[in-house]
Amino acid sequence: MTDLSPLSALGDALPLTIAIGPLTIRENAGMALASLTLRQGSGEPQPFGLHLPGPGGWKATDGIAAFWIGPGAWMVEAEGRAESDFAAALKAEARHCSVSEQTDGCVMFEITAADAAPIRALLEKLVNLDAQGFAPGSARRTGLEHMSVFVIRRAEGHLALLAMRSAAGSVFHAIETAARRLTAA
Amino acid sequence: MTRLSGGLIDRSKTLRFSFNGQGYTGHPGDTLASALLANGVRLVGRSFKYHRPRGIFAAGSEEPNALVILRGGARAEPNTRATVAELFEGLEATSQNHVGPLGFDLLAVNDLLSPFFAAGFYYKTFMWPKVFWEKLYEPMIRRAAGLGAMSMQPDPDAYDKGFLHCDLLVIGGGAAGLAAALTAARSGVRVILADEDFRLGGRLLAEGEALGDRPAPDWVAEAEAELVSLPNLRILRRTTVFGAFDHGIYGAVERVGDHLPTPATVRQTLWRITAKRIILAAGATERHIPFANNDRPGIMLAGALRAYVHRWAACPADKVAIFTSNDDGHRTAADLVAKGVQVTAVIDPRRDAKALGQYPLFAGSVVTDTKGRLGLSHVQITRDAAPVWIKAGVLGVAGGWNPNLHLASHHRGRPEWSEAHQAFLPAPAGGPPGLTVAGAAAGQGTTQAALMNGAEAARAALADLGISANLPDLPAASDAKGNQHPLWHVPGKARAWVDFQNDVTVKDIKLAHQENMRPVEHLKRWTTLGMATDQGKTANVTALAVMAELTGQSIPQTGTTIFRPPYTPVSMAVLGGGDTGPHFRPRRLTPSHEWAAAQGAVFVEVGQWMRAQYFPRPGETTWRQTVDREVLATRAGVGICDVTTLGKVDVQGRDAGAFLDRLYANPMASLKVGMVRYGLMLREDGHVYDDGTCARLAEDHYVVTTTTAQAGPVYRHMEFARQCLWPELDVQLISTTDAWAQFSVAGPNARRLLERVVDGFDLSNEAFPFMACAPLTVCGGLRARLFRISFSGELAYELAVPARYGNALMARLVQVGADLGATPYGTEALGVMRIEKGHAAGNELNGQTTAQMLGMGKMVSAKKDAIGTVMTRREGMLAETRALVGLQPVDPADPVTAGAHLFAEGVAQDTWSDQGWITSACFSPHVGSAIGLGFLASGTTRLGEVIVAANPLEGKSTRLRVVSPHFVDPEGGRLRD
Amino acid sequence: MLIPHPLLGPRDAQEFTYLGDASLLNRPDGMAEGALPAFCDYVYLRDNPAGIHRELWFHEQGDRSWLVVTRNTLTHEILGAELARDVALRRQK
């Protein structure tokens, strides 16, 4: 085990959790990520028993989840396994596919609320996604203030937002500002 | 008595406000305009050119005259229409465009000189003498230009933006809009109802008529209560939909906090609305009738007067006259009489006009003049050439109604003239797809027609989407027609105003006709009619009708000008969407940013990135000192630099090598596993696009790097090649720029430093030679990748770890390498060292250079097809002689200036003698002078020659010696140690 | 504008980067006879029609697919969109 200490994407020793009105925003620094892309002639694998979702979808099972990122390409999530070499583990599950480590490629914010209303209100301020058509099990990449972000609707009251790790501060500023304005209004 | 009974104002609360320093009171529900009128104030401003006294003309956003500076200090906003400014406690407003008090404007002298200020005067005056233009005329014009003045202070308010999606967007919350919204929302579809006013109801709030058995405002309140209760309907009040864009996308501005003394959260929000169907129910705007001296304070649109009386219980004078060419003006007269206001005359050009109430009717007559410079006092009525003067403090003018079809015309839809309506109606085809028009905006302006038309339009729009909707029960309402008589202006000698805001008269239109500026687009621009902040809403149709009379063409033949967004002015702040200052655009930080900041590094913007530029130490007073130290320390010991920002692309698949062979000019498929190769990427036109490295980690796995600036474009280019050009190749790509923190470790002690962090990895020159690469672990098991590549020319490596560990690794390397002279260095030192080595970077790869010019012509393989290689063989490209050279000043104290152009000594410095240019320059502590790289005609055969670098902006020239671009370690021995 | 992505449905044009005429798919063979004049045409000549245009869009803030979009340059009506990869593969047959 290395003796180097990691930093969160926002540059702190510990990842941030903050409550703003009905919304809680938490940096999920424990989530491992790896991309999985089909090669020619390789069938669609079922890594860790997970059926890979179709375009615009997100599927989860037992701590592992995947969302579609392009034709024949997915991002696989593994809760709590960020310190491990998850890409190697995934490659073992999908030998004939191209796998690349993505854990520190993204900052991941989990945004939760007691019900759907604050989540929908936040979505309509941040991204040009039809909140109504973005039911649990949906995942899309879209633009947020000139940055690319992945948006995942994990549940009625649970959204995940992934952005380039290097832009974590800018993305957080946008989320926080929108959340504060919704609360004050 | 200027405050009447009734009205939709809350008399239980009193609001204090000031206008030009004078205190007044009003009530919630008042606008600034209605409150001023209720206080008997008629004079509110001075006209643009002639500085004539002006008063409130309309009751909505079409207002041309009553423009004030609202609020003070940093929040002062000029050109605010008093007719839409909601009254709040403590509101301060000042009038615009006068020198001296409003009642005694010194610039009113312009009115006396008006013959010289007719339309188009600026094309003919201020021409002579030429020298006066810059010194006198321009400053004069600039001072006189514009209406209000800005605060010149930073805007303290916040702005926001958002995205809405719906099945039906209803624009306008009047009779038609409410009926449409009820119909649609009750069917369950998602509806957005937007209205620019702070209350729903439109003209229903301005009339005294009943809807069924109740006053119209009561029906509105009931409809609103139902709409508010429906979860699938969203009401946007104070929201102007300003433009119809492609594919059902509409722009809207919600004035969230304009009506508050200070906004609670944001001031305004920009909404991007995507709708499947749209109903434009924006109503109609009344037009006036130009006659001599028709612009005095107190002269207003009759429909506006009716609104002030009903909705705001205000009438600024005891005696009112009405000039009308239709029946609607008579309704105003009848309503005024019913409210106890004395109507001294109703003047109607129709000889068979009938009175609709008890008031003196002057049929077959026109208004031919007025008196009362600072406020109307008398009106001259002429019938059969016999004029009489009657008293009036207010004159309501009713010239007909123009449907507000602007948004329906935003896609070049040309409105159609209707003889029956004496107005333009929305074109039946050619407007924004999915948009239909309803109510007064479609020429269905009676209350009953508007209600039914709105409901039917909603039903039809939903049917289009495959959804059935029931028509609601609608109350009985007035269906009185207007019976419009065409009277476009009253002919006469004195000036008659058409466009009040830009001070354009009927005479100006005649002048335009005389000067052959007859097509409406020329008329508009030559006279500036319709070009002010109100965009001629109350003037345009009248103007083109006057032009039609002059040319003898019909009104439809004359046509309208093109309609463009925004419908009403939109602030730059809200278009900006809200982010200002450091948050104006995204900022990307490198993994070691925290550590660098703690060291006191100075940062520089590199695109969206913040990179450490240099690391000053105590005692260093200039950046040069710091950078010189960093360069010397790296070449003497070991330096560490965060190079994470360079683009990294993961390339995998059976055909990864073949793919890279086509992307790069030099061979890549032949690269051995465990090795790295420099990659030269061309554009298809043969010029150099980007460069980087390809590292082969496995048979089917490469990691490719790009320059920082081109990371995005190169990735796009690679996906284009993969998906569009060679889809048959088995290759997969994904960006990994952010995932891996990457550090350059460079200098004679680089190997010794790395030995202290890698876990049992053989770093000897034999085991890990120049251009090798491998995965490994560092610092007790952290997964990492090591590449032995050098940008600096020193013995160098790049070490990559997962980004979350980048900060700690940087600190560790500096710490354990202290005795080896480990020195953090930034982008400045990085730049100096690569220039000292003659390595090309962005400046040399500016899109205008070729492999041949860079001395890399032989790298372009003729044995394979790759992007750009064919076009490098064009005659012109091959004939190019400019080549990369090093440059050193003959006098070591002289600078080398990047961008300077190169000439032979003693030759005139002109385009024909231009021999090249300097691409990069820096001070080299190793050479002891400034040095540079550049492209020079036949440069490689001219080593030792002295040439001249020209700096014509400062009138300077520098003598430079042409040298090899490899200033340090030209044999490259250090790299391979 | 809304681009009808074949897999994701209508997406706002803001998510895309525009490249140009879909004739860019017809890259000549760089090793063939007469490659140079063929490439000159390929790189520089465009029809630039006022009307129906087949063009390449990159879904940069989306699934990173290249699309061939058929659009009327006068009215902006979009008549269809397909994955460029499919168009390119068909072309090869």
Side-chain angles (χ1 to χ4, degrees), chain B residues 221-445:
Chain B
E222 200 182 278
E224 191 171 340
E226 179 184 342
L227 292 172
V228 164
S229 77
L230 295 169
N232 55 315
L233 181 120
R234 189 192 187 114
I235 304 176
L236 294 174
R237 289 179 192 72
R238 300 183 176 91
T239 301
T240 303
V241 180
F242 62 81
F245 301 97
D246 286 312
H247 304 165
I249 296 169
Y250 286 73
V253 175
E254 180 185 357
R255 288 173 290 279
V256 181
D258 275 9
H259 62 291
L260 303 169
T262 43
T265 53
V266 300
R267 178 142 171 220
Q268 296 178 355
T269 297
L270 177 72
W271 291 106
R272 187 187 184 89
I273 304 172
T274 306
K276 296 204 179 96
R277 290 292 180 275
I278 306 93
I279 293 175
L280 179 65
T285 298
E286 194 168 28
R287 55 189 186 227
H288 65 102
I289 306 165
F291 52 86
N293 291 309
N294 64 327
D295 70 329
R296 302 204 189 280
I299 301 177
M300 61 174 67
L301 292 167
L305 180 59
R306 198 159 81 226
Y308 283 119
V309 162
H310 284 302
R311 178 172 171 181
W312 287 292
C315 182
D318 294 331
K319 296 180 171 33
V320 176
I322 303 288
F323 180 23
T324 176
S325 57
N326 55 48
D327 289 352
D328 196 56
H330 288 264
R331 283 174 59 195
T332 302
D335 285 2
L336 284 168
V337 168
K339 285 290 239 186
V341 178
Q342 184 190 1
V343 176
T344 55
V346 173
I347 306 109
D348 192 323
R350 302 173 294 177
R351 285 186 185 270
D352 58 350
K354 300 270 185 303
L356 291 181
Q358 293 280 1
Y359 46 77
L361 171 59
F362 292 73
S365 312
V366 289
V367 173
T368 44
D369 203 350
T370 64
K371 276 200 268 222
R373 209 175 63 84
L374 295 180
L376 184 71
S377 63
H378 296 79
V379 169
Q380 185 188 65
I381 305 170
T382 300
R383 184 193 164 108
D384 296 329
V388 298
W389 285 97
I390 56 117
K391 283 198 176 128
V394 168
L395 173 68
V397 183
W401 291 84
N402 294 322
N404 291 334
L405 39 68
H406 306 65
L407 258 66
S409 311
H410 276 175
H411 286 202
R412 287 189 165 240
R414 291 291 193 170
E416 281 193 354
W417 179 252
S418 161
E419 270 302 309
H421 290 83
Q422 285 296 300
F424 281 97
L425 299 185
L435 182 146
T436 50
V437 190
Q444 303 289 321

Side-chain angles (χ1 to χ4, degrees), chain B residues 38-112:
Chain B
N39 280 278
V41 175
R42 290 180 298 165
L43 173 65
V44 293
R46 290 282 179 161
S47 73
F48 176 48
K49 254 197 305 194
Y50 305 120
H51 289 259
R52 286 172 66 90
R54 289 287 171 80
I56 294 160
F57 188 72
S61 61
E62 65 274 12
E63 173 61 34
N65 283 340
L67 304 185
V68 301
I69 300 172
L70 196 67
R71 304 186 203 83
R75 305 187 68 238
E77 187 179 4
N79 299 346
T80 304
R81 291 151 294 180
T83 52
V84 300
E86 286 175 63
L87 197 67
F88 55 84
E89 173 66 25
L91 181 150
E92 289 172 14
T94 47
S95 54
Q96 303 181 148
N97 203 44
H98 50 95
V99 175
L102 181 58
F104 196 76
D105 181 5
L106 297 174
L107 289 178
V109 64
N110 285 9
D111 201 22
L112 299 173

Side-chain angles (χ1 to χ4, degrees), chain B residues 930-948:
Chain B
I931 59 172
L933 299 173
F935 293 102
L936 177 68
S938 305
T940 48
T941 63
R942 294 164 72 177
L943 298 183
E945 187 181 321
V946 172
I947 57 168
V948 167

Side-chain angles (χ1 to χ4, degrees), chain C residues 64-80:
Chain C
R64 307 259 160 114
S65 282
W66 278 93
L67 301 182
V68 174
V69 177
T70 305
R71 180 177 67 99
N72 186 321
T73 60
L74 290 175
T75 64
H76 289 184
E77 183 191 357
I78 293 185
L79 292 96

Side-chain angles (χ1 to χ4, degrees), chain B residues 99-175:
Chain B
V99 175
L102 181 58
F104 196 76
D105 181 5
L106 297 174
L107 289 178
V109 64
N110 285 9
D111 201 22
L112 299 173
L113 299 172
S114 65
F116 300 102
F117 287 141
F121 76 94
Y122 21 79
Y123 300 117
K124 302 168 186 177
T125 49
F126 307 119
M127 308 276 267
W128 179 90
K130 250 178 142 152
V131 294
F132 275 30
W133 173 253
E134 217 177 296
K135 299 256 156 49
L136 181 63
Y137 299 144
E138 194 187 338
M140 244 172 61
I141 292 170
R142 282 189 184 280
R143 264 201 301 278
L147 287 168
M150 290 168 59
S151 74
M152 304 311 284
Q153 295 175 47
D155 187 340
D157 289 324
Y159 299 80
D160 202 1
K161 63 183 169 306
F163 307 90
L164 296 174
H165 299 255
C166 64
D167 298 307
L168 180 68
L169 170 63
V170 179
I171 303 170

